[in-house]
Amino acid sequence: MDLRRLLGELMREHGVPGAQLALYREGEFAAVAAGERVHGTGEEVTGHTAFPIGSVTKPFTAAVAMLLVEDGDVEPDAPFAEYLPELGSARPGLHRDMTLRQVLSHTAGLVADPVSPNVTRARWIAENCRAADMPAPPGKYFSYSNTGYVLAGHVVESVLGMSWPEAVESVLLRPLGISPVFVSGPGASAARPRAGGHVTGPNGVRPVVQSLSAIEAPSGALALSATDLVTFARSQWGDPALPSPLTPESAGRMRRGQLGSETAGPYGMADDWGLGWALYRDGDRIWGGHDGTGDGTSAHLRFRPDAATAVALTANAATGSALWADLLRELGIGDAVTGLGAGSAGPPVPAPPDLAGRYVNGTGEFRADVGADGELLLTIDGERRSVVHREGATFTVPDVGGGRMSHRGRFLRDEQGRVSHLQLAGRLANRADDRD
């Protein structure tokens, strides 16, 4: 297969200015790069160009945390208050009992995004770890949380006595021969050429500025190449051609599903979640991986240790996610592992009236309204949209930009059968009293 031709065709179809593709399969490695780092500049993307990888940063933070577990510095099921004086203080209302295992598997019940990111660590913890603000109790629901990974990164810093960028570079990436670029934080640098982000609209391609606060760095500040991502994946399955920072046992724990049958899982994102890795089922085969989006960027990684296979894409446009879905089909991997929220199965059905209400996750708010004919309307970020309701109180949300990708969501009921939560793209929102 001509990977360069395939990547170029898909880039043109999806309006992506620059991208990288890396593939390791059957003992053979191939990598191609194409396009411009920043649209209109003529500066070529090479295999060395660093692309902001967004939330694909999270498995790297998780791996550093697991190194602390290996060394006996952190116990995965011990309350975080044992390692963070800020949580162990006498300040009332803080949630002290969440654990590293819960944080890395997104089951700690924390809000999706941190509030007040430009403050001190102590104040940030006080404003983001309040039990009263959590959308769910720890251990009961999956709720994707950038906040949790900020907390995990802070534990790394507290135990090692160095900043998160220093830790991830010195103990994880440097042994693999990877020189990272950081989008934000004290380690932000330009050691390698970095791709910029872009949005594609009716008026063409427009560059956008990357924006991420320093405190949020452990959840999304890395910039790497597709080759770097495949190298990291190969180290996770213990490829003998590479050093492995983690022991096989620890790497295996990261890929082991953490969500029991009693836990509401990552609906619309993946089939299960490990300690940092999303897990995708394709028949009886399990793929690990993660997706990441930044300001006008997209990054994706999937790997199968049992088949010694890994594939990664980095793209400097938000439409890279749709390119990724097409790419997997062309490579014969298929839709089962895209993780991009294909529409729910089953025909549309009228929505029951008790779904109507206000749902809150931190500063994020959704409003569901049900028409007399059962039409479901969902207000997201102030925009009211008609969505497709399906059996089982599931629904499909068309892509905001009018693209062909969609996102899956659902409503959850408590033990008494009352609607208690809304879950969209893995993020859980607690039903709130409209009188609040």
Side-chain angles (χ1 to χ4, degrees), residues 310-333:
V311 58
L313 172 75
T314 56
N316 62 0
T319 51
S321 295
L323 189 161
W324 169 248
D326 286 347
L327 176 66
L328 289 185
R329 295 186 195 105
E330 293 291 337
L331 294 175
I333 295 173

Side-chain angles (χ1 to χ4, degrees), residues 6 17 28 53 62 103 112 143 151 180 206 230 239 262-263 268 303 318 333 375 424:
L6 173 62
E28 299 291 331
I53 62 171
V103 164
S143 187
L151 197 60
R206 179 170 57 86
V230 167
D239 189 317
E262 73 284 355
T263 305
F303 64 98
I333 295 173
E375 180 187 16
L424 179 60

Side-chain angles (χ1 to χ4, degrees), residues 3 20-25 27-32 47 53 56 60 173 176 178 224-239 242-243 277 287 300-304 308-314 324 327 331:
L3 295 181
Q20 300 165 325
L21 166 63
L23 175 65
Y24 184 87
R25 185 158 56 182
E28 299 291 331
F29 174 72
V32 295
I53 62 171
V56 187
F60 292 85
L173 297 180
L176 293 172
I178 297 173
L224 301 171
S225 68
T227 295
D228 295 334
L229 295 180
V230 167
T231 297
F232 181 54
R234 291 170 61 192
S235 77
Q236 285 282 295
W237 73 62
D239 189 317
L242 294 169
W277 291 117
W287 292 74
H300 308 273
L301 172 64
R302 297 291 185 274
F303 64 98
R304 266 185 64 197
T309 297
V311 58
L313 172 75
T314 56
W324 169 248
L327 176 66
L331 294 175

Side-chain angles (χ1 to χ4, degrees), residues 58 110-119 124-125 127-129 145-151 212-213 215-217 219 361-363:
K58 290 180 173 68
L110 290 163
V111 296
D113 297 301
V115 298
S116 303
N118 298 308
V119 297
W124 179 86
I125 287 176
E127 293 181 353
N128 288 270
C129 299
S145 174
N146 292 317
T147 300
Y149 272 76
V150 175
L151 197 60
L212 188 74
S213 70
I215 206 166
E216 297 174 273
S219 70
N361 180 313
T363 58

